[in-house]
Amino acid sequence: MRSTRRFLTTWQNMPSSRFWMMSLRHLVVVSSLCSLIFGYSERDRVHDLMSRYPLIDGHNDLALQLRKLHDNRLSQIDLHNVSKVATDITRLQAGHVQAQMFAVYVMCGAQEKDAVRLTLEQIDVVRRMCTEYQDFELVTSAPELKNSELRRKIACLISIEGGHSIDSSLPALRMFYQLGVRSMALTHTCNTPWAESSSKLYNVYQRQKDSLTRFGKAVVEEMNRLGMIVDLSHTSWGTASAVLKHSKAPVIFSHSSSYAICDHGRNVPDKLLHELKKNRGLIMVNLHSNFISCRDEANISHVADHFDHIKRVIGAESIGIGADFEGAVSFPQGLEDVSKYPALIQELLQRNWTEDELADVLRRNFLRVFEEVERVRDQLSVNRPSEIQIPVAEAQNPCRMVLRPPNLRELPSDQSSSSRAHQSPEALLILATVLLLSSLFMIE
Ligand SMILES: *[C@@H]1O[C@H](CO)[C@@H](O)[C@H](O)[C@H]1NC(C)=O
Ligand SMILES: *[C@@H]1O[C@H](CO)[C@@H](O)[C@H](O)[C@H]1NC(C)=O
Ligand SMILES: [Zn+2]
């Protein structure tokens, strides 16, 4: 008020050139004051909040890009600054990313080929990346994850993306757990012999119903027993619903958005959101433009619409972020790489999300789910490793060595003789030799 009056009196007694100089100077002062009071403090508030509650992101496919662009040769690049991708250490730090679930993904085309080997190689590259760089730290439990924040590290969690990686084998699942895998998406874009994908891209293991088979339930039970988070992104709604009924622990959608806002098959309908809430699970919103606006372009307000909707339906305590950088091609304007998360948090603050709700979304919800998964693991610790095997007929696969006559159950007329044959000394000798040989190879 006072400065306006002074400005007006000065103006009346001034030659015009000096007036323009003065008003220009006023303009500069006023506008920088404005940005100090409004723009800057808003941004400072976001950075302050994110420093106290740095992000745990649910899904990133950097390992896939390392394979595609560099053939997994880490020695060729400096992970502090990687061109052609949206993820590197410098930008993770700028974006207040404290923990990242790194997907170990292999294409569905490998399902009946070498998916297990390819998965092992992706686990290897994530483990190398997260142990060779001081800024990263590989973590395998909720306490380690919390501790890594105090140590100012970016925590790496390993997540298998697609059940085809375990080749329908619970022992393989357990060995992946031993290597540090703490989450698995039950499918990618292909059905497995035991769970169903949201995508119809691959015409494999089709079935009318039974979207989670008996063996599929055994996979979920074994993941519960191990303390591995079940991830339902990419599964069909039928499979998701069956898992939500069956799982003893909370589950996650590591990178999916709201179907009510954008009706893409990868997104989650409200009906499933309600079931997810009952399960105490988490939906980590995917930022890929096509899942956000159902078009190739999107902006931050489209993304915030997903957050607002999901909050309205099941509450902020069920939401996280799983951006899907490196796995998807187009991202909303202003959210192009891992340094940009603060812009999203700023938009949500402007939409009256409280700091408490945002602290939940940024990390506390994920920590709660991880801790509950570990609590269920502890409760189930009296159970022994599951010895359930998929019926041979359900997982026919040309790359599987046949250790016993196939389709044993499907030879009704010959059943008794074939099972006698199976138990004959020659067959047992062959089986023993095969097992001995394969155990020798394992040792090497
Ligand atoms: C990253 O590398 C590019 C060249 O590849 C360089 O232009 C850029 O300045 C580097 N950025 C940082 C933060 O070091
Ligand atoms: C986002 O795009 C929509 C049009 O699709 C537009 O109405 C809206 O103003 C945009 N928001 C921002 C923040 O740019
Ligand atoms: Zn995905």
Side-chain angles (χ1 to χ4, degrees), residues 115-164:
V116 175
R117 174 181 63 86
L118 292 168
T119 306
L120 285 168
E121 290 175 355
Q122 292 310 88
I123 292 173
D124 174 70
V125 81
V126 173
R127 290 186 61 107
R128 282 192 58 198
M129 165 176 115
C130 297
T131 50
E132 291 175 16
Y133 283 81
Q134 292 290 302
D135 306 277
F136 281 131
E137 184 168 82
L138 185 70
V139 301
T140 55
S141 70
E144 281 175 20
L145 176 49
K146 284 179 170 169
N147 194 38
S148 69
E149 195 228 333
L150 304 177
R151 289 152 49 75
R152 308 218 151 275
K153 302 277 189 181
I154 299 169
C156 305
L157 286 154
I158 304 178
S159 163
I160 289 177
E161 189 176 15
H164 57 288

Coordinates of all heavy atoms in Angstrom, one line a residue, residues 115-164:
A115 N 14.3 -68.3 -20.1 CA 13.9 -67.2 -19.2 C 14.7 -67.3 -17.9 O 15.0 -66.2 -17.4 CB 12.4 -67.3 -19.0
V116 N 14.9 -68.4 -17.4 CA 15.6 -68.5 -16.1 C 17.0 -68.0 -16.1 O 17.4 -67.1 -15.3 CB 15.5 -70.0 -15.5 CG1 16.3 -70.1 -14.2 CG2 14.1 -70.4 -15.3
R117 N 17.7 -68.4 -17.2 CA 19.1 -67.8 -17.4 C 19.1 -66.3 -17.5 O 19.8 -65.6 -16.9 CB 19.8 -68.5 -18.5 CG 21.2 -67.8 -18.8 CD 21.9 -68.4 -20.0 NE 21.2 -68.3 -21.3 CZ 21.3 -67.2 -22.1 NH1 22.1 -66.2 -21.7 NH2 20.6 -67.1 -23.2
L118 N 18.2 -65.8 -18.4 CA 18.1 -64.4 -18.7 C 17.8 -63.6 -17.4 O 18.3 -62.6 -17.1 CB 17.1 -64.1 -19.8 CG 17.5 -64.6 -21.2 CD1 16.3 -64.6 -22.1 CD2 18.7 -63.8 -21.7
T119 N 16.9 -64.2 -16.6 CA 16.6 -63.6 -15.3 C 17.8 -63.5 -14.4 O 18.0 -62.5 -13.8 CB 15.4 -64.3 -14.6 OG1 14.3 -64.4 -15.6 CG2 14.9 -63.6 -13.4
L120 N 18.5 -64.6 -14.3 CA 19.7 -64.6 -13.5 C 20.7 -63.5 -14.0 O 21.3 -62.9 -13.2 CB 20.4 -66.0 -13.6 CG 19.7 -67.1 -12.8 CD1 20.3 -68.5 -13.2 CD2 19.9 -66.9 -11.3
E121 N 20.8 -63.3 -15.3 CA 21.7 -62.3 -15.8 C 21.2 -60.9 -15.4 O 22.1 -60.0 -15.1 CB 21.9 -62.4 -17.3 CG 22.6 -63.7 -17.7 CD 22.7 -63.9 -19.2 OE1 22.1 -63.2 -20.0 OE2 23.4 -64.9 -19.6
Q122 N 19.9 -60.7 -15.4 CA 19.4 -59.4 -15.0 C 19.6 -59.2 -13.5 O 19.9 -58.1 -13.1 CB 17.9 -59.2 -15.4 CG 17.7 -59.2 -16.9 CD 18.6 -58.2 -17.6 OE1 19.7 -58.5 -18.0 NE2 18.1 -56.9 -17.7
I123 N 19.4 -60.2 -12.7 CA 19.7 -60.1 -11.3 C 21.2 -59.8 -11.1 O 21.5 -58.9 -10.3 CB 19.3 -61.4 -10.5 CG1 17.8 -61.6 -10.6 CG2 19.8 -61.4 -9.1 CD1 17.4 -62.9 -10.0
D124 N 22.0 -60.4 -11.9 CA 23.5 -60.1 -11.8 C 23.8 -58.7 -12.0 O 24.5 -58.0 -11.3 CB 24.2 -61.0 -12.7 CG 25.7 -60.7 -12.8 OD1 26.4 -61.0 -11.8 OD2 26.2 -60.1 -13.8
V125 N 23.2 -58.1 -13.1 CA 23.5 -56.7 -13.4 C 23.0 -55.8 -12.4 O 23.7 -54.8 -12.0 CB 23.1 -56.4 -14.9 CG1 21.6 -56.0 -15.0 CG2 23.9 -55.2 -15.4
V126 N 21.8 -56.0 -11.8 CA 21.3 -55.1 -10.7 C 22.2 -55.3 -9.5 O 22.6 -54.3 -8.8 CB 19.8 -55.4 -10.4 CG1 19.4 -54.6 -9.2 CG2 18.9 -55.1 -11.6
R127 N 22.6 -56.5 -9.2 CA 23.4 -56.7 -8.0 C 24.8 -56.0 -8.2 O 25.3 -55.4 -7.3 CB 23.6 -58.2 -7.7 CG 22.4 -58.9 -7.2 CD 22.7 -60.3 -6.8 NE 23.7 -60.3 -5.7 CZ 23.4 -60.6 -4.5 NH1 22.2 -61.0 -4.1 NH2 24.4 -60.6 -3.5
R128 N 25.3 -56.1 -9.4 CA 26.6 -55.5 -9.7 C 26.5 -53.9 -9.5 O 27.2 -53.3 -8.8 CB 27.1 -55.8 -11.1 CG 27.7 -57.2 -11.2 CD 28.4 -57.3 -12.6 NE 29.4 -56.2 -12.8 CZ 29.9 -55.9 -13.9 NH1 29.5 -56.4 -15.0 NH2 30.8 -54.9 -14.0
M129 N 25.4 -53.4 -10.2 CA 25.2 -52.0 -10.2 C 25.1 -51.5 -8.7 O 25.6 -50.5 -8.3 CB 23.9 -51.8 -10.9 CG 23.2 -50.5 -10.8 SD 21.8 -50.5 -12.0 CE 20.5 -50.5 -10.8
C130 N 24.4 -52.3 -7.9 CA 24.1 -51.8 -6.5 C 25.1 -52.1 -5.5 O 25.0 -51.7 -4.4 CB 22.7 -52.4 -6.1 SG 21.4 -51.7 -7.2
T131 N 26.1 -52.9 -5.9 CA 27.3 -53.1 -5.0 C 28.5 -52.4 -5.5 O 29.4 -52.0 -4.7 CB 27.6 -54.6 -4.8 OG1 27.7 -55.2 -6.1 CG2 26.5 -55.3 -4.1
E132 N 28.6 -52.1 -6.8 CA 29.9 -51.4 -7.3 C 29.8 -49.9 -7.1 O 30.9 -49.3 -7.2 CB 30.1 -51.8 -8.8 CG 30.5 -53.3 -8.9 CD 30.6 -53.7 -10.4 OE1 30.7 -52.8 -11.3 OE2 30.6 -54.9 -10.6
Y133 N 28.7 -49.4 -6.9 CA 28.5 -47.9 -6.7 C 28.2 -47.6 -5.3 O 27.3 -48.2 -4.7 CB 27.4 -47.3 -7.6 CG 27.9 -47.2 -9.1 CD1 27.8 -48.3 -9.9 CD2 28.3 -46.0 -9.6 CE1 28.3 -48.2 -11.3 CE2 28.8 -45.9 -10.9 CZ 28.7 -47.0 -11.7 OH 29.1 -46.8 -13.0
Q134 N 29.1 -46.7 -4.7 CA 28.9 -46.4 -3.3 C 27.5 -45.7 -3.0 O 27.0 -45.9 -1.9 CB 30.0 -45.3 -2.9 CG 31.4 -45.9 -2.9 CD 31.6 -46.8 -1.8 OE1 31.4 -46.4 -0.6 NE2 31.9 -48.0 -2.1
D135 N 27.0 -45.1 -4.0 CA 25.7 -44.4 -3.8 C 24.5 -45.3 -3.6 O 23.5 -45.0 -3.1 CB 25.4 -43.4 -4.9 CG 26.6 -42.5 -5.2 OD1 26.6 -41.5 -4.5 OD2 27.4 -42.8 -6.1
F136 N 24.7 -46.5 -4.2 CA 23.6 -47.5 -4.1 C 23.9 -48.5 -2.9 O 25.0 -48.7 -2.5 CB 23.6 -48.4 -5.4 CG 22.9 -47.7 -6.5 CD1 23.5 -47.7 -7.8 CD2 21.6 -47.2 -6.4 CE1 22.9 -47.1 -8.9 CE2 21.0 -46.6 -7.5 CZ 21.6 -46.6 -8.7
E137 N 22.8 -49.2 -2.5 CA 23.0 -50.3 -1.6 C 21.9 -51.3 -1.8 O 20.7 -50.9 -1.9 CB 22.8 -49.7 -0.1 CG 23.1 -50.7 1.0 CD 23.2 -50.0 2.3 OE1 22.1 -49.7 2.9 OE2 24.3 -49.8 2.8
L138 N 22.2 -52.5 -2.0 CA 21.3 -53.6 -2.2 C 20.6 -53.9 -0.8 O 21.3 -54.2 0.1 CB 21.9 -54.8 -2.8 CG 21.0 -56.0 -3.1 CD1 20.2 -55.6 -4.4 CD2 21.8 -57.2 -3.4
V139 N 19.3 -53.8 -0.8 CA 18.6 -54.2 0.5 C 17.6 -55.3 0.3 O 17.1 -55.5 -0.8 CB 17.9 -53.0 1.1 CG1 18.9 -51.8 1.4 CG2 16.7 -52.5 0.3
T140 N 17.4 -56.1 1.3 CA 16.6 -57.3 1.2 C 15.6 -57.4 2.3 O 14.9 -58.4 2.5 CB 17.4 -58.6 1.1 OG1 18.2 -58.7 2.3 CG2 18.2 -58.6 -0.1
S141 N 15.4 -56.3 3.1 CA 14.5 -56.4 4.2 C 14.0 -55.0 4.6 O 14.7 -54.0 4.2 CB 15.1 -57.0 5.5 OG 16.1 -56.2 6.0
A142 N 12.9 -54.9 5.3 CA 12.4 -53.5 5.7 C 13.4 -52.8 6.6 O 13.6 -51.6 6.4 CB 11.0 -53.7 6.3
P143 N 13.9 -53.5 7.6 CA 14.9 -52.8 8.5 C 16.1 -52.3 7.7 O 16.6 -51.2 7.9 CB 15.3 -53.9 9.5 CG 14.2 -54.8 9.5 CD 13.6 -54.9 8.1
E144 N 16.6 -53.1 6.7 CA 17.7 -52.7 5.9 C 17.4 -51.5 5.0 O 18.1 -50.5 4.8 CB 18.2 -53.8 4.9 CG 19.1 -54.8 5.6 CD 19.4 -56.0 4.6 OE1 19.3 -55.8 3.4 OE2 19.8 -57.1 5.1
L145 N 16.1 -51.5 4.6 CA 15.6 -50.4 3.8 C 15.6 -49.1 4.6 O 16.1 -48.0 4.1 CB 14.2 -50.7 3.2 CG 13.5 -49.7 2.4 CD1 14.3 -49.1 1.3 CD2 12.2 -50.3 1.8
K146 N 15.1 -49.2 5.8 CA 15.1 -48.0 6.7 C 16.5 -47.5 7.0 O 16.8 -46.3 7.0 CB 14.4 -48.3 8.0 CG 12.9 -48.4 7.8 CD 12.3 -48.7 9.2 CE 10.8 -48.6 9.3 NZ 10.3 -49.2 10.5
N147 N 17.4 -48.5 7.3 CA 18.7 -48.2 7.6 C 19.5 -47.5 6.5 O 20.3 -46.6 6.7 CB 19.5 -49.4 8.0 CG 20.8 -49.2 8.7 OD1 20.9 -48.2 9.5 ND2 21.8 -49.9 8.4
S148 N 19.2 -47.9 5.2 CA 19.8 -47.3 4.1 C 19.5 -45.8 4.0 O 20.3 -45.0 3.5 CB 19.5 -48.0 2.8 OG 18.1 -47.8 2.5
E149 N 18.4 -45.4 4.5 CA 18.1 -44.0 4.4 C 18.9 -43.2 5.4 O 19.5 -42.1 5.0 CB 16.6 -43.7 4.8 CG 16.1 -42.4 4.4 CD 15.4 -41.6 5.5 OE1 14.8 -42.3 6.3 OE2 15.4 -40.4 5.5
L150 N 19.2 -43.8 6.6 CA 20.0 -43.1 7.5 C 21.4 -43.0 7.0 O 22.2 -42.0 7.2 CB 20.0 -43.9 8.9 CG 18.7 -44.1 9.5 CD1 18.8 -44.9 10.7 CD2 18.0 -42.7 9.8
R151 N 21.8 -44.0 6.2 CA 23.2 -44.0 5.6 C 23.3 -43.2 4.3 O 24.3 -43.2 3.6 CB 23.6 -45.4 5.4 CG 23.9 -46.2 6.7 CD 23.7 -47.7 6.5 NE 24.3 -48.3 5.4 CZ 25.6 -48.6 5.3 NH1 26.4 -48.3 6.3 NH2 26.1 -49.2 4.2
R152 N 22.2 -42.5 3.9 CA 22.1 -41.7 2.8 C 22.4 -42.4 1.5 O 23.1 -41.9 0.6 CB 23.0 -40.5 2.9 CG 22.8 -39.7 4.2 CD 22.9 -38.2 4.0 NE 22.1 -37.4 4.9 CZ 20.8 -37.2 4.7 NH1 20.2 -37.6 3.6 NH2 20.1 -36.5 5.6
K153 N 21.9 -43.7 1.4 CA 22.1 -44.5 0.2 C 20.8 -44.6 -0.6 O 19.8 -44.4 0.0 CB 22.5 -45.9 0.6 CG 23.8 -46.0 1.5 CD 25.0 -46.0 0.6 CE 26.3 -46.3 1.5 NZ 27.5 -46.2 0.7
I154 N 21.0 -44.9 -1.9 CA 19.8 -45.2 -2.7 C 19.7 -46.7 -2.6 O 20.6 -47.5 -3.0 CB 20.0 -44.8 -4.1 CG1 20.2 -43.3 -4.2 CG2 18.8 -45.2 -4.9 CD1 20.6 -42.8 -5.6
A155 N 18.6 -47.2 -1.9 CA 18.4 -48.6 -1.7 C 17.9 -49.2 -3.0 O 17.0 -48.7 -3.7 CB 17.4 -48.8 -0.6
C156 N 18.4 -50.4 -3.3 CA 18.0 -51.2 -4.5 C 17.2 -52.4 -4.0 O 17.7 -53.1 -3.2 CB 19.1 -51.7 -5.3 SG 20.3 -50.5 -5.9
L157 N 16.0 -52.5 -4.5 CA 15.2 -53.8 -4.2 C 15.1 -54.5 -5.6 O 15.0 -53.8 -6.6 CB 13.8 -53.4 -3.7 CG 13.8 -52.9 -2.3 CD1 12.6 -52.0 -2.0 CD2 13.7 -54.1 -1.3
I158 N 15.2 -55.8 -5.6 CA 15.1 -56.5 -6.8 C 13.7 -57.2 -6.9 O 13.2 -57.8 -6.0 CB 16.2 -57.6 -6.9 CG1 17.5 -57.0 -6.7 CG2 16.1 -58.3 -8.2 CD1 18.7 -58.1 -6.7
S159 N 13.1 -57.0 -8.1 CA 11.7 -57.4 -8.4 C 11.7 -58.2 -9.7 O 12.1 -57.6 -10.7 CB 10.8 -56.2 -8.3 OG 9.6 -56.5 -8.9
I160 N 11.2 -59.4 -9.7 CA 11.0 -60.1 -10.9 C 9.8 -59.6 -11.6 O 8.7 -59.5 -11.0 CB 10.9 -61.7 -10.7 CG1 12.3 -62.2 -10.2 CG2 10.4 -62.4 -11.9 CD1 12.3 -63.7 -9.9
E161 N 9.8 -59.4 -12.9 CA 8.6 -58.9 -13.6 C 8.1 -60.0 -14.6 O 8.5 -60.0 -15.7 CB 8.9 -57.6 -14.4 CG 7.6 -57.0 -14.9 CD 7.8 -55.6 -15.6 OE1 9.0 -55.3 -15.9 OE2 6.8 -54.9 -15.8
G162 N 7.3 -60.9 -14.0 CA 6.7 -61.9 -14.9 C 7.1 -63.3 -14.3 O 8.2 -63.7 -14.2
G163 N 6.0 -64.1 -14.0 CA 6.1 -65.4 -13.4 C 6.8 -66.4 -14.3 O 7.3 -67.4 -13.9
H164 N 6.9 -66.1 -15.6 CA 7.6 -67.0 -16.5 C 9.1 -67.2 -16.1 O 9.7 -68.1 -16.5 CB 7.5 -66.6 -18.0 CG 7.9 -65.2 -18.3 ND1 7.3 -64.1 -17.8 CD2 9.0 -64.7 -18.9 CE1 7.9 -63.0 -18.3 NE2 9.0 -63.4 -18.9

